[in-house]
Amino acid sequence: MAHLLREVRLDFVGTAPVRHVFAREVSAPPEAVYRALAEDVPGWTQWFSAVTLARPSDDGARREIRLKGGTRFEETILAAKSPEVYAYRVDVTNAPGARAMVEEWRLAPAGTGTRVQWTFAVDGTAPFRFAFRVARPGLGRAFRDAVTALDRRLTAAAR
């Protein structure tokens, strides 16, 4: 059953009760990584294996995301500043116990490539917060695998 989450702003990534921050360097330049994140939303299914559907809506102001296992999100874009930050808030989800969620992707030059930092910030019921804390290793693997696949995709496209 889908439910409406609390409307939070971008500053929630620094104040959320539970935050996971992951970072990795890739060889693709920040502009290419940003385009893949913000401008090619349907392309997420090609590099983020947990994502089965990614569709922009409202002229790119919102997104619909579906994950393996059936989790669904309706999201609002909070920040889209090329090539530095792309962030979105989950407005509606079927994840039980969720109350507020924001994901932020920060990009910074790293040599000829990019340092990609992903912050996943959440609030929810006590069982939801506990489960999210326990999920940290799996989210870290998902991030690492996704960013590695994205880098391969972008490097191949640049050739």
Side-chain angles (χ1 to χ4, degrees):
M1 177 177 191
H3 55 277
L4 188 63
L5 274 59
R6 188 171 79 239
E7 189 173 309
V8 292
R9 296 182 183 271
L10 187 56
D11 63 350
F12 184 72
V13 299
T15 63
V18 183
R19 297 173 55 238
H20 295 314
V21 181
F22 306 99
R24 188 169 183 89
E25 288 187 12
V26 298
S27 58
E31 296 79 11
V33 176
Y34 180 85
R35 279 192 303 275
L37 291 171
E39 298 170 13
D40 184 18
V41 172
W44 282 55
T45 61
Q46 302 299 311
W47 56 270
F48 208 129
S49 66
V51 178
T52 61
L53 174 107
R55 181 174 29 217
S57 59
D58 292 339
D59 293 322
R62 299 179 44 80
R63 305 173 355 146
E64 176 187 355
I65 303 292
R66 293 185 187 215
L67 304 179
K68 287 181 181 173
T71 304
R72 297 183 313 272
F73 302 112
E74 292 177 26
E75 303 169 337
T76 295
I77 307 306
L78 297 176
K81 183 178 177 188
S82 178
E84 300 160 16
V85 63
Y86 183 64
Y88 40 89
R89 172 188 66 229
V90 176
D91 296 316
V92 177
T93 186
N94 63 343
R99 291 187 181 140
M101 301 173 81
V102 171
E103 293 181 50
E104 177 192 65
W105 296 79
R106 288 231 169 238
L107 309 175
T112 59
T114 305
R115 180 179 188 275
V116 180
Q117 178 179 292
W118 181 47
T119 302
F120 203 147
V122 303
D123 189 12
T125 61
F128 178 84
R129 291 190 316 266
F130 174 77
F132 197 76
R133 284 184 183 102
V134 171
R136 181 178 175 77
L139 289 168
R141 276 190 303 280
F143 168 76
R144 182 188 64 239
D145 293 349
V147 171
T148 299
L150 175 60
D151 193 37
R152 276 193 223 114
R153 179 180 164 98
L154 294 175
T155 301
R159 290 184 190 153

